[in-house]
Amino acid sequence: MADFELIQFDLDGTLIDSVPQLACAINEMLASLGYAAQPVSAVRHWVGNGADMLVQRALTAAAGQAPEAGQHRRARALFDEAYAGHADGALVFYPGVLDTLERLRAAGKRLALVTNKPYRFVPGILAAAGLADHFELALGGDSLAEKKPSPAPLLHVCERLDVSPARSLMVGDSENDVLAAKAAGMAVAALTYGYNYGRPIADSRPDWVLDEFAGLAGLLKL
């Protein structure tokens, strides 16, 4: 196994379970537009491709058809406004996340965050989680022209931190994370508990499949 210097992490579905906050914001958005609320279980399957796609999927489910561009823009603005009030509240970490991150830091690993969540919400979430100082670099889905599954964000992190992709490991929970890592020439470990549209993450063929976050410490022989 390569001696990974840099570990890049996804956020939603990997470090935190953000579906409760996202579902609250989605349903506030739908209520403002006159639509019925959607179940949390449905929202869980819609997460992973960024806020635009989340809003599109919610509108399509609520209205029974894909939204027009104008309605989508209005809904996205309503979602952003609603989510701003929920994003950093009552954060739920998956088991083993905080302890494992501390073990990685103690072992001298460099950490970065690459999420498809709009960047405006990322600093507040990290601050509320007590993780503001854990990551040398954090990117949101709108930080660059492309987001995952494009390899661009992962390669940007490697370039900024002067670490080759071969010395970096991506850790995520969805096909987007796996595809981005493979396209970047980077190893990837995928977690089974996150958001992958109801499909087993093993089907995406990551290098390692982990059932729990703490398994990362064993993988890296910490």
Side-chain angles (χ1 to χ4, degrees):
M1 180 189 300
D3 181 16
F4 298 113
E5 176 183 352
L6 169 65
I7 319 294
Q8 302 190 41
F9 293 95
D10 177 53
L11 178 60
D12 297 340
T14 298
L15 304 183
I16 63 172
D17 182 2
S18 57
V19 165
Q21 291 94 336
L22 291 168
C24 285
I26 282 292
N27 284 325
E28 286 182 21
M29 174 200 80
L30 291 174
S32 296
L33 296 171
Y35 293 120
Q38 298 295 303
V40 173
S41 59
V43 177
R44 188 170 295 277
H45 289 304
W46 298 337
V47 176
N49 294 103
D52 278 341
M53 187 57 72
L54 173 60
V55 167
Q56 168 125 346
R57 288 168 175 156
L59 287 174
T60 300
Q65 61 184 13
E68 296 181 353
Q71 184 188 36
H72 186 277
R73 285 194 296 271
R74 181 185 176 207
R76 173 61 197 273
L78 289 168
F79 169 78
D80 284 354
E81 181 180 356
Y83 189 56
H86 294 286
D88 56 2
L91 294 172
V92 177
F93 288 96
Y94 290 106
V97 166
L98 295 178
D99 288 345
T100 303
L101 289 178
E102 289 298 341
R103 289 184 67 181
L104 291 171
R105 296 178 75 203
K109 302 298 182 183
R110 303 174 69 184
L111 311 182
L113 188 76
V114 180
T115 173
N116 278 351
K117 183 188 295 294
Y119 182 77
R120 61 176 286 197
F121 301 117
V122 174
I125 290 173
L126 293 181
L131 299 177
D133 297 329
H134 282 53
F135 302 102
E136 290 189 47
L137 182 62
L139 297 181
D142 51 0
S143 294
L144 303 174
E146 298 178 49
K147 60 178 179 286
K148 298 176 298 183
S150 167
L154 279 61
L155 293 174
H156 177 82
V157 170
C158 287
E159 183 178 359
R160 282 279 306 273
L161 300 184
D162 194 26
V163 178
S164 73
R167 298 264 293 163
S168 179
L169 172 70
M170 178 65 197
V171 179
D173 66 294
S174 81
E175 182 181 45
N176 286 331
D177 300 310
V178 177
L179 291 174
K182 287 181 176 294
M186 188 178 299
V188 55
L191 295 150
T192 59
Y193 55 67
Y195 317 142
N196 194 42
Y197 325 114
R199 301 192 302 270
I201 190 60
D203 291 353
S204 299
R205 301 178 66 85
D207 296 289
W208 299 279
V209 176
L210 302 176
D211 291 326
E212 55 186 24
F213 195 86
L216 188 59
L219 176 66
L220 298 174
K221 302 186 185 304
L222 300 185

